[in-house]
Amino acid sequence: MELNSGISAAEERYYIASQQQLIWRRFRRHRLALVSVVILIIMYFLAFTYEFWTPYRAVTQHQGFVNTPPTPIHFFDADGNFLGPFVYGLKYELNLDTFERIYTEDTETIHRINFFTRGESYRFWGRIHMDWHFFDAGEGKVFLLGSDQLGRDVFSRILAASRISLTIGLVGVFLSFFLGATLGGISGFYGGMVDIVIMRVTEILSAIPQIPLWIALAAIVPIDWPVTRTYFAITIILSTMTWTGLARAVRAKLLEMREHDYIMAAKIAGASDIRIIYDHLLPGYISFLIVNITIAIPGMILGETALSFLGLGIRPPAVSWGTLLEGAQNISNIALYPWLLTPALFVIATVLLFNFVGDGLRDAADPFKEL
């Protein structure tokens, strides 16, 4: 339908659309970024509710099932009859030459997989007592991704570890973003001695190698600290170095923008300096800020994984993807039990997904990008 002015309805919606609406229109065209967002939302949902989705608790040890390979899921029995999802019983023999357990399926014993069933009791988020699980195999054992050297289900531990590994990236990035945007904005807006002091501090911190500094700071964290306190300590440690690059970039942009006419108009209208920085200056640099955040989150996750892998980050009984990878330090474990490397696949996938989202948001926030 054509309007009286000769402009179509679609064109009118385009001309009156807000910046957020234009960004969303461009972002929807980036299919890979859109799919990545959906997958990340699912991953975070599973991380926040992992107790229900796992058949066992992360610390449950299954006696006699040490380093068990992933359990095959069957739908037909040996005679070809359809039984629905089930697992066979497991039995093992000890290899006297390598002292390795060789697991085989006992086709005479069938354990059906039940859904929305009661199982091991747990405390949801450490508070609500529950015993409902999405699935389990009753008296049988179902290890979707195998078990570790203590007989703990790797799948359950990976989902439990995702709560720390995924959220530490978000918390750390928002703290780093707040420091970088605020200090960089103050430095670029005011200039003078304030600018000199802030920039010298950022240069000093940027000159320090990140990994040795993180290791030194993480080593200071007392071993007897509770999990929550250690979590926030590691988050602060990871944020100490990542804000400097953002601060320098924000400063450079604000030095360019602070003399624009609309900024002078805001000053004349009586707007406060903080309001000018956050409401007028930073939104003009939103493309870079969005990309910086999406790229910094996987950097935080990798930082926590590296510290925990070295034994300097999250410590047992808490689990993160880094602590799970500690068992993969031994080359013999990798050769004999390759499923212990599964947490690395989750780390790689998360980093790639965030990078895809960052690419999509960068293109969507570009004001010169055509719709």
Side-chain angles (χ1 to χ4, degrees), residues 62-69 89-96 99-106 141 143 147:
H62 302 272
Q63 300 296 328
F65 295 94
V66 176
N67 291 323
T68 308
L90 293 177
K91 55 185 178 181
Y92 70 90
E93 297 179 356
L94 185 63
N95 188 325
L96 298 179
F99 295 100
E100 178 187 1
R101 294 189 178 195
I102 308 298
Y103 288 91
T104 57
E105 292 181 326
D106 181 8
K141 302 297 181 183
F143 303 121
S147 66

Side-chain angles (χ1 to χ4, degrees), residues 314-330:
I314 303 298
R315 301 185 178 100
V319 289
S320 70
W321 289 338
T323 59
L324 296 183
L325 288 173
E326 282 190 78
Q329 293 185 22
N330 192 328

